Amino acid sequence: MTNHVHFTVGTTNVPPLRFSIGCQEIFFLNDAELGSTSNRAERIRPVTLNLTGPLGTNGTARLSVQGNVNPVLFQVADGVTNRVTELTVFPLAVTNDVSYTENHTIYMSCPNLGTGTITATFTPADGGEPLTDSVTFRCIEPLRKLVTTETKDGRYVNPSRLVMGTNAVLKVEANGPFSPSEVNWRVVSGSGRAFPTNGWETTVTPTGIGTVTVEARFNDDEIQPQFVLPVVQPRTIPVKMVVIQPPEGSCQEVEQNADNIDVAWTMEKISTMLDTANEVFTQVGIHFELVGGPVNECRTNDWILPAVDVYTNSEGKVCYTKTASRQAAALFSEYEAAEGVTMYFVGAITNSSAVGFRSGSNVVIGKESPQKGLAHELGHYLGLKDIYYAKVGVHDGKLANIRLRIRNDPVSHESFRTETGDWGHETGRGFYASGDTLASIIGHLLMHGVVNQEQNDVGDIPDNQVYGISKDDKKGFQNVGASNFDD
């Protein structure tokens, strides 16, 4: 039998009775209710009640919360999760004969933005004076927009790639009580430098090929918004232009009217559209450059529309394909570039709402195409697919536009299934405003299949595939909208 002697008679080595509550000062927004299957476990953080005093000290603690944040407090005991209220009592007793300290852990998540205070009161069992402690906290929503066409001093904010020889500006924001001076930027891994180190923005310079991970740290949480950015070498892709003129009149001297195309006007429009495309593809280090003068072809300009063939495949799925006419195939064969892109500028693409399309390395653009139309078709050339939040395709042999129930759902990791990319996986990535919808995110992508004349400034290119809909996908979602630009 071992007898432990803790205190010596005649000394004052009795530890004073202390009680404290501890939790993080900053919590991230958690929309989920307790018990929901969509709870983000990594957003739930511990709150600890600590009691220090002589061996055998015991009593009970209660919690109260002040402020408009209304956090969800709960405890887990014997595998059962229970919500904590102001009536919940926590027994505390000092039983550890080494440190004379015991603690009790509960958990908290925040459904609302704002500030709050948790007050804890310990009432000793021997009737002594209660001990009180409190902690304040803030609930914020860190925002890390994936890719945006916003520019700063000619550089793109939040690119999906870093390009050797250029700087990039990364940007974060926060909803809730948080100031830019509290953000702490750092390069977590890879060859690169980030400066400044505080503020909503930082400039990143890659110093080597590979992948650079940059973190915007908002608190002491181990999970923070990160930009995981492959580094690529810049490359130039040559573009050859062919202007299709109607056969009536002279191909050398035509006036701009409903049926003819003025070459000078064409070059100005193409130059503007190409500038827009190059602004978009700066994100991935690609530059398109016109080579030589335009080839002026006397052809009718209605044959250029590809034929649409509807068929049912072996699985009973209704599908359709676009096939270029014989005239188009002959022209493609004559002018298709061995390297780069051949761009055909036509007066109209008849019998269709299309303003452009791509066939192999041939890109066809109608003169009514919006400013981002060329960038969109060049995206197809680089391997990107259209992406929709409304289903557009063939159903029972007819074109259908079936709006999906989820188009107005908030963005979450359930909305974007490529969790190893940056479309909503919670581990250090995918921070969105709670009001953002699936439709609003997809609507900013370059490959959003619905061309909007009023939104020529949108052209975001994600780092990885987006879980949206393809127009020829009858059954539902596909991973579409992105490709590998490292080749």
Side-chain angles (χ1 to χ4, degrees), residues 259-270:
D259 300 316
N260 298 325
I261 302 172
D262 178 79
V263 176
W265 175 84
T266 297
M267 289 302 295
E268 182 178 351
K269 182 174 178 66
I270 286 295

Side-chain angles (χ1 to χ4, degrees), residues 18 29 50 57 65 76 106 128 157-158 163 181 221 257 266 272 340 367 403 408 438 454-455 461 487:
R18 294 191 181 96
L29 182 70
N50 301 290
T57 301
V65 181
V76 179
I106 60 174
V157 181
N158 299 5
V163 183
S181 62
D221 196 316
N257 55 48
T266 297
T272 301
K367 74 174 185 177
R403 295 200 176 277
N408 293 319
L438 178 67
E454 304 299 322
Q455 293 183 337
I461 302 175
D487 298 333

Side-chain angles (χ1 to χ4, degrees), residues 138-175:
R138 290 177 284 169
C139 181
I140 68 169
E141 183 180 29
L143 305 180
R144 188 222 99 170
K145 297 300 182 181
L146 297 175
V147 184
T148 142
T149 52
E150 177 185 354
T151 59
K152 181 180 177 64
D153 300 329
R155 299 165 296 178
Y156 274 82
V157 181
N158 299 5
S160 60
R161 294 288 192 273
L162 294 179
V163 183
M164 286 297 295
T166 64
N167 297 328
V169 178
L170 306 184
K171 184 177 181 180
V172 292
E173 294 176 349
N175 289 334

Side-chain angles (χ1 to χ4, degrees), residues 289-351:
E289 184 174 292
L290 281 175
V291 293
V295 176
N296 201 19
E297 275 280 347
C298 287
R299 311 262 181 153
T300 57
N301 54 21
D302 58 351
W303 56 266
I304 204 74
L305 174 67
V308 178
D309 296 324
V310 180
Y311 65 96
T312 302
N313 67 11
S314 59
E315 299 178 351
K317 179 180 178 181
V318 177
C319 305
Y320 74 97
T321 59
K322 287 184 177 180
T323 305
S325 65
R326 270 186 258 177
Q327 298 97 320
L331 192 68
F332 292 165
S333 176
E334 182 176 352
Y335 288 106
E336 188 166 22
E339 180 184 2
V341 183
T342 302
M343 180 169 51
Y344 304 84
F345 194 83
V346 303
I349 302 175
T350 59
N351 302 321

Side-chain angles (χ1 to χ4, degrees), residues 280-293:
V280 171
F281 286 103
T282 296
Q283 300 172 69
V284 290
I286 293 175
H287 179 80
F288 292 93
E289 184 174 292
L290 281 175
V291 293

